[in-house]
Amino acid sequence: MDKRTLGTLEVSELGLGCMGMSEFYGTADESEAVATIHRALELGVNFLDTADMYGPFTNEKLVGKAIADRRDQVVLATKFGNERNEDGSWIGINGSPDYVRTACDASLERLGVDYIDLYYQHRVDNGTPIEETVGAMKELVDAGKVRHLGLSEAAPTTIRRAHAVHPIDALQTEYSLWSRDPEDEVLATVRELGIGFVAYSPLGRGFLSGQIKSIDDLDEDDFRRRGPRFSGDNFQKNLDLVEQVEKIAAEKGISAGRLALAWVLAQGDDIVPIPGTKRRSYLEENVGAADVVLDDDDLRRIDGAFPKGATAGDRYPDMSTVNR
């Protein structure tokens, strides 16, 4: 597995999103999840992504358990800011300095580690100046609790203001063939500032894998069932787009998922996709994308089959609540 650099942080060119191991994507299987993390490390995938809200709180414990005897092999990323109760109910977005400190200490304890390699603000708190939030995050770096700072789903002006307080090494935002909004302004901004880009949901929440042909392919408690892109007429419109990608992939002798991940990798050496999975078989399928080479003609064909803005439906049920 080749390496890429996020700001000043070196990571594997593909990471592993751990969220679905604990929540949102149907039934959890802790033993398989731990085995998947171990297999990722064996394959050279050393960049693990979690957050305190996943579970809530249980995903960090799971990741901590999996890496307890192999911490030195891992670049560990977690997040704060989406505040939830133990029962999973939503409290709100919190970027206050006191909360930053409290959340970090809690994450360190759950993860069972002395430091976090990359600590993200999960969502921007419009009620707290970004300078105050990042100022508190800087204190965590000074204290040795955190080594690198990141933001998630932040707008260009916010990124600039944060970076002026302390260097931001990574911005994490959804990016894939079916979510190309970062191409408007965000990618140019982070590249100007020397910030790496972490692409979450690079397989379009699994849709681009070609494995989802019907809403019935999703578990009853899968959160995607409530997503606009998986609902009503949007589902079929998006399925039609994926079928075009599958045709190109078949010609190259690979899966649609590998083609979709290879497309993200081809958008720049400063981009690191973190496809999430809770099974070793899917992990191994995803890792194979690192060996796929797309030439200019391939990229033109993919863009023609799945042009920017073609996806039907918003990313989330109500994007008006996303603070940026």
Side-chain angles (χ1 to χ4, degrees), residues 80-84 90-96 99 121-128 133 321-324:
F80 73 91
N82 281 325
E83 193 175 4
R84 297 174 73 186
W90 175 251
I91 298 174
I93 296 173
N94 194 341
S96 66
Y99 180 73
Q121 181 183 19
H122 206 162
R123 291 291 186 272
V124 175
D125 177 4
N126 287 343
T128 303
T133 303
T321 62
V322 175
N323 292 357
R324 305 189 69 202

Side-chain angles (χ1 to χ4, degrees), residues 173-203:
T173 294
E174 183 172 356
Y175 186 48
S176 69
L177 276 169
W178 85 340
S179 291
R180 295 175 63 175
D181 297 346
E183 294 175 5
D184 294 337
E185 295 181 85
V186 168
L187 278 172
T189 300
V190 296
R191 284 171 171 160
E192 176 192 335
L193 298 173
I195 299 170
F197 187 94
V198 176
Y200 79 79
S201 292
L203 287 171

